[in-house]
Amino acid sequence: RYFDELIALDSAMSSSCLRCFLGIPALDKHLSISPLLEHVERPERDPWNQKPGFDVSLVRTLFGLDPSLQRKARLAHVPLSVVELSFITLNAVRAAGATVALMLRAASQACAQSLREVIPKLFLETRSIYVASVREGRPSPVFACFSPSCFSWDDLPSCRNEGPISVTSTGGRLYALSADLFTCWDVVSRTWTTLPARPGPRCTRFCSAAAGGTVYAIGGVSNAGLVTNSLHEFHVSRSAWRASSQMPTPRADCAVVSRLSRLFVMGGTLQNGEPCACTESFLPSGIQWKQQSHMEHARHSGSAAGAGNSIFMFGGSTVARSHLLADAVVPPEPERLDLTLGTWEQFTGPEMARRQGCSAAAVLGCVYVFGGYVREFSSIDRLDIQTMTWDVLPMPDTLQGVCCAAVVTS
């Protein structure tokens, strides 16, 4: 009956009524569904022998934007009556996704107990890889969502970004940053939203990553040809950018991975146009940079992905972008950074994994390498990080070309 009343409020919400019931997205302040639920019969006492409160109002309070720790603490022992019933909690999060499960887990001890064994499995099942492809002669990137658990693809509507882009994700949303535009894809409403553009001089060939509800834009080259060491932070909750601690080594065309609460920035193009092997890490909580071990090969335009206690680097080029034979030089072998030892080592991969303009993402204990140019790549190379063995998966022809990818937990 609760869900029926939510659908009655707005028939267009029927496909996402569970999410709305759980407070995602929150209703506008001028809306209230309390009157619609007044006639719904509820027991005088709930299973915890307490008078049940108004469930939806409580859920909206709990899952509103940026609830304070004090508010969460006060409500930690307040039953959500219907929602806290174990079988309802489990069915709700299976339908609504892992991000909702985490929010519901914080609502009360009863919910947390019900979800203790379910959440790790949900994260494995609901992670998807969003891939964007850019090709010459095509004005906008093509986006598609790949589900590693069932090997299926789902096309996304085009966004307003044009030209080369960088993608990342946080909070169950995909963020696409280009030289002139910053957009967000909401996996629930399946819509693109335009956000404030990155501040400062216009630049391209930057990289982006996300950690802790913040999107980071790193490096790049300006219209005047100057390679920058800038670091900008976009705080999702405030929808605002700010400049942060500058990177020690100015560079463009670098790769970045968020791992162990740090951002690891690897390789790239220096001001003189040459590739570099430099690896630096940034600790957002301390606002400080740290020098890491250099890669085995200096490279620019590579792609990296983190899994376990390792960061894997693929593709790129060991010669300057302006070199006459830049496209003819075979990319270097893949490398792995052991985060425990802090050292890089080269490992052998198939020839097809040595791509220029590729992208990598890690899910379910595997690293997936997408796209690339020079040759028309229409397949995915997959690395099992436990056995260090490779296999090949098909990829839609529409995604051929230079790719970027990000993992989103729905």
Side-chain angles (χ1 to χ4, degrees), residues 338-355:
D338 188 316
L339 295 175
T340 303
L341 301 177
T343 57
W344 285 93
E345 64 176 358
Q346 182 176 297
F347 66 95
T348 302
E351 182 183 354
M352 292 292 287
R354 301 171 69 176
R355 311 179 180 189

Side-chain angles (χ1 to χ4, degrees), residues 104 143 244 266 289 316 386 397:
L104 186 57
F143 282 85
S244 188
M266 298 149 286
W289 287 89
Q386 295 297 325
D397 292 341

